Amino acid sequence: MPALAGPMTDDETLRAGDVLSIACPFTAARVERGVTWDHVSVRWPWCTGFPLNPGDGIPFSIELLMRPYAFLGPGDEVADAAGRAWRFDGPWDWAPFDGEGPGAGPEWPLVLLTRSGTPCSDSDAETVAAGTATGSHQETVRRWMSLTEASPTP
């Protein structure tokens, strides 16, 4: 699984729930059209449009600030401290196997049961146990909300 936070590498894939900081260094720019109280059209020396493309020459950086449940992947199955079994399909997409609603989410610590439908390795199980030894699902949600100023949706 990728690192929890830090500068992104070219081979990393973004996941639902990732919190990113995208920055571009200060650069002198030219105002193309008149300035009003709510709009200005600026021409950057490297580019004039969107989206960001790593090969377009714009010197931007992307930093991964938070990846909720970086130690889990879609399809992983876990047992929580309350004895419930869950399928993880994303940080805000938890499906309990007992037919009850998800409520406040899984209770930590978690025990990895399977990884994508196959038995998990001891190393993967230890990583999940260590990642959920302290804290809670609700603390993860609150931290994500404080960074994004948004509310997760399933």
Side-chain angles (χ1 to χ4, degrees), residues 5 28-29 31 36 38 49 56 63 90 96 98 104 113 125 138-139:
V31 174
T36 65
D38 65 348
D56 64 9
E63 182 177 357
D98 60 12
L113 303 173
Q138 290 305 310
E139 286 178 30

Side-chain angles (χ1 to χ4, degrees), residues 49-76:
F50 288 91
L52 294 176
N53 178 347
D56 64 9
I58 298 174
F60 65 88
S61 63
I62 300 175
E63 182 177 357
L64 180 62
L65 301 178
M66 179 185 183
R67 173 166 284 166
Y69 295 97
F71 42 81
L72 291 176
D76 285 354

Side-chain angles (χ1 to χ4, degrees), residues 3-59:
L4 287 174
M8 299 285 295
T9 61
D10 290 340
D11 61 345
E12 281 190 275
T13 301
L14 300 177
R15 295 183 356 176
D18 284 354
V19 179
L20 306 173
S21 170
I22 302 175
C24 186
F26 175 79
T27 301
R30 189 175 87 207
V31 174
E32 287 290 303
R33 282 184 264 174
V35 179
T36 65
W37 67 274
D38 65 348
H39 185 265
V40 62
S41 179
V42 176
R43 178 177 300 276
W44 291 347
W46 348 273
C47 180
T48 59
F50 288 91
L52 294 176
N53 178 347
D56 64 9
I58 298 174

Side-chain angles (χ1 to χ4, degrees), residues 141-150:
V141 171
R142 284 191 295 273
R143 180 170 174 244
W144 186 89
M145 289 174 64
S146 74
L147 288 170
T148 63
E149 298 181 9

